Short mmCIF file of all heavy atoms in Angstrom, two decimals:
data_model
loop_
_atom_site.label_atom_id
_atom_site.label_comp_id
_atom_site.label_asym_id
_atom_site.label_seq_id
_atom_site.Cartn_x
_atom_site.Cartn_y
_atom_site.Cartn_z
N GLY A 1 5.38 49.59 -25.59
CA GLY A 1 4.16 49.41 -26.28
C GLY A 1 3.96 50.37 -27.51
O GLY A 1 3.13 50.06 -28.31
N GLY A 2 4.70 51.40 -27.63
CA GLY A 2 4.60 52.24 -28.76
C GLY A 2 5.35 51.70 -29.99
O GLY A 2 5.77 50.49 -29.93
N THR A 3 5.50 52.45 -31.03
CA THR A 3 6.27 52.04 -32.20
C THR A 3 7.40 53.05 -32.42
O THR A 3 7.33 54.25 -31.98
CB THR A 3 5.45 51.86 -33.45
OG1 THR A 3 4.76 53.19 -33.70
CG2 THR A 3 4.28 50.87 -33.23
N ALA A 4 8.39 52.58 -33.13
CA ALA A 4 9.52 53.38 -33.45
C ALA A 4 10.11 52.85 -34.84
O ALA A 4 9.74 51.81 -35.29
CB ALA A 4 10.57 53.35 -32.38
N SER A 5 11.07 53.63 -35.37
CA SER A 5 11.83 53.16 -36.54
C SER A 5 13.31 53.52 -36.23
O SER A 5 13.60 54.27 -35.30
CB SER A 5 11.36 53.82 -37.81
OG SER A 5 11.71 55.19 -37.88
N LEU A 6 14.16 53.07 -37.03
CA LEU A 6 15.61 53.32 -36.88
C LEU A 6 15.90 54.80 -36.95
O LEU A 6 16.88 55.21 -36.46
CB LEU A 6 16.40 52.55 -37.86
CG LEU A 6 16.42 51.03 -37.63
CD1 LEU A 6 17.25 50.28 -38.72
CD2 LEU A 6 16.91 50.64 -36.22
N ALA A 7 15.03 55.57 -37.68
CA ALA A 7 15.22 57.06 -37.81
C ALA A 7 15.19 57.69 -36.39
O ALA A 7 15.86 58.77 -36.22
CB ALA A 7 14.11 57.60 -38.63
N ASP A 8 14.54 57.06 -35.41
CA ASP A 8 14.51 57.64 -34.06
C ASP A 8 15.90 57.60 -33.39
O ASP A 8 16.05 58.20 -32.36
CB ASP A 8 13.46 56.89 -33.23
CG ASP A 8 12.09 57.08 -33.74
OD1 ASP A 8 11.70 58.24 -34.15
OD2 ASP A 8 11.34 56.11 -33.86
N TRP A 9 16.85 56.85 -33.98
CA TRP A 9 18.20 56.76 -33.40
C TRP A 9 19.21 57.52 -34.20
O TRP A 9 20.42 57.38 -33.96
CB TRP A 9 18.62 55.29 -33.22
CG TRP A 9 18.04 54.62 -32.00
CD1 TRP A 9 18.67 54.48 -30.81
CD2 TRP A 9 16.72 54.14 -31.86
NE1 TRP A 9 17.81 53.92 -29.90
CE2 TRP A 9 16.60 53.72 -30.53
CE3 TRP A 9 15.57 54.01 -32.67
CZ2 TRP A 9 15.48 53.07 -30.02
CZ3 TRP A 9 14.43 53.46 -32.16
CH2 TRP A 9 14.39 52.99 -30.83
N ARG A 10 18.78 58.31 -35.09
CA ARG A 10 19.76 59.18 -35.93
C ARG A 10 20.55 60.01 -35.05
O ARG A 10 20.14 60.45 -34.00
CB ARG A 10 19.00 60.01 -36.91
CG ARG A 10 18.40 59.24 -38.04
CD ARG A 10 19.09 59.58 -39.38
NE ARG A 10 18.72 58.65 -40.45
CZ ARG A 10 17.74 58.88 -41.34
NH1 ARG A 10 17.03 59.96 -41.24
NH2 ARG A 10 17.50 57.97 -42.25
N GLY A 11 21.77 60.17 -35.44
CA GLY A 11 22.69 60.98 -34.67
C GLY A 11 23.67 60.17 -33.75
O GLY A 11 24.56 60.70 -33.19
N LYS A 12 23.51 58.83 -33.84
CA LYS A 12 24.38 57.95 -33.05
C LYS A 12 24.65 56.70 -33.82
O LYS A 12 23.82 56.34 -34.69
CB LYS A 12 23.90 57.69 -31.65
CG LYS A 12 22.61 56.89 -31.55
CD LYS A 12 22.32 56.36 -30.16
CE LYS A 12 21.97 57.45 -29.20
NZ LYS A 12 21.60 56.98 -27.86
N TYR A 13 25.70 55.99 -33.49
CA TYR A 13 25.97 54.72 -34.10
C TYR A 13 25.04 53.70 -33.35
O TYR A 13 24.89 53.80 -32.13
CB TYR A 13 27.36 54.24 -33.91
CG TYR A 13 28.29 54.93 -34.85
CD1 TYR A 13 29.05 56.05 -34.42
CD2 TYR A 13 28.50 54.55 -36.12
CE1 TYR A 13 29.92 56.74 -35.33
CE2 TYR A 13 29.36 55.19 -37.06
CZ TYR A 13 30.03 56.32 -36.57
OH TYR A 13 30.87 56.97 -37.41
N VAL A 14 24.43 52.81 -34.02
CA VAL A 14 23.52 51.84 -33.45
C VAL A 14 23.84 50.47 -33.98
O VAL A 14 24.05 50.28 -35.15
CB VAL A 14 22.03 52.19 -33.80
CG1 VAL A 14 21.08 51.14 -33.21
CG2 VAL A 14 21.64 53.59 -33.42
N LEU A 15 23.99 49.52 -33.04
CA LEU A 15 24.24 48.11 -33.34
C LEU A 15 22.86 47.50 -33.19
O LEU A 15 22.39 47.31 -32.09
CB LEU A 15 25.25 47.49 -32.44
CG LEU A 15 25.60 46.04 -32.80
CD1 LEU A 15 26.15 45.87 -34.22
CD2 LEU A 15 26.53 45.50 -31.76
N VAL A 16 22.14 47.20 -34.21
CA VAL A 16 20.80 46.59 -34.20
C VAL A 16 21.06 45.08 -34.17
O VAL A 16 21.57 44.54 -35.13
CB VAL A 16 19.98 47.02 -35.40
CG1 VAL A 16 18.58 46.38 -35.29
CG2 VAL A 16 19.88 48.49 -35.52
N ASN A 17 20.55 44.43 -33.16
CA ASN A 17 20.70 42.95 -33.03
C ASN A 17 19.33 42.31 -33.17
O ASN A 17 18.46 42.58 -32.34
CB ASN A 17 21.29 42.64 -31.68
CG ASN A 17 21.49 41.13 -31.49
OD1 ASN A 17 20.72 40.49 -30.84
ND2 ASN A 17 22.49 40.55 -32.10
N PHE A 18 19.17 41.58 -34.22
CA PHE A 18 17.96 40.70 -34.40
C PHE A 18 18.13 39.38 -33.74
O PHE A 18 19.11 38.70 -33.98
CB PHE A 18 17.69 40.48 -35.92
CG PHE A 18 17.28 41.74 -36.63
CD1 PHE A 18 18.33 42.59 -37.22
CD2 PHE A 18 16.01 42.25 -36.69
CE1 PHE A 18 17.99 43.75 -37.90
CE2 PHE A 18 15.70 43.42 -37.36
CZ PHE A 18 16.63 44.16 -37.99
N TRP A 19 17.25 39.00 -32.84
CA TRP A 19 17.39 37.76 -32.07
C TRP A 19 16.00 37.22 -31.77
O TRP A 19 14.96 37.77 -32.10
CB TRP A 19 18.10 38.09 -30.79
CG TRP A 19 17.30 38.94 -29.79
CD1 TRP A 19 17.12 40.31 -29.87
CD2 TRP A 19 16.54 38.53 -28.73
NE1 TRP A 19 16.29 40.71 -28.84
CE2 TRP A 19 15.92 39.70 -28.08
CE3 TRP A 19 16.33 37.23 -28.14
CZ2 TRP A 19 15.12 39.54 -26.98
CZ3 TRP A 19 15.53 37.17 -27.06
CH2 TRP A 19 14.96 38.28 -26.48
N ALA A 20 16.05 36.07 -31.11
CA ALA A 20 14.75 35.43 -30.70
C ALA A 20 14.97 34.60 -29.42
O ALA A 20 16.09 34.15 -29.20
CB ALA A 20 14.23 34.47 -31.81
N THR A 21 13.89 34.43 -28.62
CA THR A 21 14.04 33.79 -27.38
C THR A 21 14.41 32.34 -27.55
O THR A 21 14.99 31.71 -26.63
CB THR A 21 12.71 33.85 -26.62
OG1 THR A 21 11.64 33.29 -27.45
CG2 THR A 21 12.38 35.26 -26.29
N TRP A 22 14.11 31.67 -28.67
CA TRP A 22 14.32 30.25 -28.88
C TRP A 22 15.81 30.01 -29.51
O TRP A 22 16.13 28.84 -29.71
CB TRP A 22 13.30 29.67 -29.83
CG TRP A 22 13.07 30.49 -31.03
CD1 TRP A 22 12.00 31.39 -31.20
CD2 TRP A 22 13.84 30.55 -32.23
NE1 TRP A 22 12.14 32.01 -32.43
CE2 TRP A 22 13.20 31.46 -33.11
CE3 TRP A 22 14.90 29.88 -32.66
CZ2 TRP A 22 13.65 31.79 -34.31
CZ3 TRP A 22 15.44 30.22 -33.95
CH2 TRP A 22 14.83 31.09 -34.72
N CYS A 23 16.48 31.12 -29.78
CA CYS A 23 17.77 30.98 -30.47
C CYS A 23 18.97 30.84 -29.57
O CYS A 23 19.27 31.73 -28.80
CB CYS A 23 17.90 32.33 -31.33
SG CYS A 23 19.49 32.62 -32.03
N ALA A 24 19.58 29.64 -29.63
CA ALA A 24 20.68 29.36 -28.77
C ALA A 24 21.91 30.25 -29.02
O ALA A 24 22.52 30.81 -28.04
CB ALA A 24 21.16 27.90 -28.88
N PRO A 25 22.32 30.54 -30.24
CA PRO A 25 23.37 31.49 -30.47
C PRO A 25 23.05 32.88 -29.94
O PRO A 25 23.99 33.64 -29.55
CB PRO A 25 23.63 31.47 -31.98
CG PRO A 25 23.03 30.22 -32.48
CD PRO A 25 21.93 29.95 -31.49
N CYS A 26 21.79 33.27 -29.99
CA CYS A 26 21.37 34.61 -29.43
C CYS A 26 21.62 34.58 -27.94
O CYS A 26 22.16 35.62 -27.38
CB CYS A 26 19.91 34.81 -29.68
SG CYS A 26 19.50 34.86 -31.43
N ARG A 27 21.24 33.56 -27.30
CA ARG A 27 21.47 33.43 -25.81
C ARG A 27 23.04 33.55 -25.51
O ARG A 27 23.40 34.14 -24.56
CB ARG A 27 20.96 32.14 -25.28
CG ARG A 27 21.13 31.88 -23.81
CD ARG A 27 20.38 30.61 -23.33
NE ARG A 27 18.99 30.65 -23.59
CZ ARG A 27 18.12 31.21 -22.80
NH1 ARG A 27 18.51 31.76 -21.64
NH2 ARG A 27 16.82 31.25 -23.08
N LYS A 28 23.85 32.91 -26.34
CA LYS A 28 25.30 32.94 -26.09
C LYS A 28 25.90 34.31 -26.31
O LYS A 28 26.71 34.72 -25.42
CB LYS A 28 25.99 31.95 -27.14
CG LYS A 28 27.45 31.97 -27.10
CD LYS A 28 27.99 30.98 -28.18
CE LYS A 28 29.48 31.14 -28.28
NZ LYS A 28 30.04 30.48 -29.42
N GLU A 29 25.43 35.10 -27.24
CA GLU A 29 26.01 36.37 -27.50
C GLU A 29 25.36 37.61 -26.70
O GLU A 29 26.07 38.66 -26.53
CB GLU A 29 26.02 36.75 -29.01
CG GLU A 29 24.80 37.36 -29.53
CD GLU A 29 24.89 37.81 -30.96
OE1 GLU A 29 25.99 38.09 -31.45
OE2 GLU A 29 23.82 38.03 -31.54
N MET A 30 24.22 37.44 -26.18
CA MET A 30 23.55 38.54 -25.52
C MET A 30 24.37 39.12 -24.36
O MET A 30 24.40 40.37 -24.23
CB MET A 30 22.18 38.11 -25.04
CG MET A 30 21.27 39.24 -24.69
SD MET A 30 20.81 40.31 -26.08
CE MET A 30 19.66 39.30 -27.02
#
């Protein structure tokens, strides 16, 4: 419920995955 930004993950490699519940390719790769 809080908020964050990518700066909160500094110090590590991050793979940010943008997806949606209605997205069939998202379901396939998750």
Side-chain angles (χ1 to χ4, degrees):
T3 61
S5 75
L6 293 178
D8 295 316
W9 278 263
R10 286 247 170 96
K12 66 169 65 178
Y13 286 96
V14 181
L15 182 63
V16 182
N17 178 259
F18 292 92
W19 68 281
T21 56
W22 48 262
C23 168
C26 300
R27 180 175 299 275
K28 177 182 170 191
E29 84 172 342
M30 197 63 73

